[in-house]
């Protein structure tokens, strides 16, 4: 009997303003999704005016994204570049997009996911489970420290959680992650506090 092709599904990629150019499954079972930004403008890095992306694309960037079917998933993008027509010496700028930070190896969605993995866990555990470097996980945690609460996305403060995340093994350094359970059951991270002493 001929082998039937595996059942397939398609679903929306939850990243705004991009087109998917290719999807690939690597031999070691990772998903690589190549995307292109639909947005044709960016802010000039010098004068801050909105300029059109007319200067090709930069080096490909690979960003870890939320897992699909439990597999490591990466987004590949070549960010668009723009040259300012009015600034002196016509400086070039690489387009920035709201769903990843420049120089971060992760999408913002994946960083939020990592933060949730950190609740009640340790940096070392999350690093092992997610197969990413200890310092990368620590960097995600550190970027959240003392970040202002985005009150717009908070609709319920009835159930607040305080969880300790071991920061440095053996050195008794902890971060306190403050969370709030929302009406839809989602747990959101309000903020991360510095150097909290572990309770005995
Ligand atoms: Zn400019």
């Amino acid at each position: 009997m001929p082998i039937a092709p595996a059942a397939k599904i398609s679903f929306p990629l939850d990243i705004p303003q991009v087109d998917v150019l290719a999807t690939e499954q690597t031999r070691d079972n990772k998903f690589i999704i190549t995307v292109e930004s639909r947005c044709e403008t960016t802010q000039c890095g010098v004068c801050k005016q909105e300029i059109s992306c007319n200067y090709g694309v930069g080096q490909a960037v690979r960003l870890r994204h939320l897992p699909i079917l439990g597999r490591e998933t990466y987004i590949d993008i070549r960010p668009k570049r723009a040259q300012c027509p009015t600034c002196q010496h016509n400086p070039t700028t690489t387009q920035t997009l709201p769903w990843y930070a420049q120089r971060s190896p992760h999408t913002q969605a994946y960083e939020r996911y990592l933060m949730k993995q950190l609740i009640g866990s340790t940096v070392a555990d999350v690093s092992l489970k997610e197969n990413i470097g200890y310092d990368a996980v620590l960097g995600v945690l550190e970027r959240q420290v003392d970040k202002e609460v985005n009150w717009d996305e908070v609709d319920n403060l009835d159930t607040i959680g305080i969880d300790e995340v071991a920061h440095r093994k053996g050195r008794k350094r902890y971060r306190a992650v403050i969370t709030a359970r929302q009406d839809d059951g989602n747990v959101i991270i309000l903020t991360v506090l510095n150097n909290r002493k572990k309770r005995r």
Side-chain angles (χ1 to χ4, degrees), residues 88-104:
Q88 202 185 4
H89 307 308
N90 304 118
T92 56
T93 299
T94 301
Q95 184 180 53
T96 52
L97 296 168
W99 50 272
Y100 74 96
Q102 258 179 330
R103 284 182 285 278
S104 165

Side-chain angles (χ1 to χ4, degrees), residues 44-49 51 84-87 91:
C44 168
V46 182
C47 68
K48 307 293 176 205
Q49 71 168 320
I51 52 175
C84 186
T86 47
C87 277

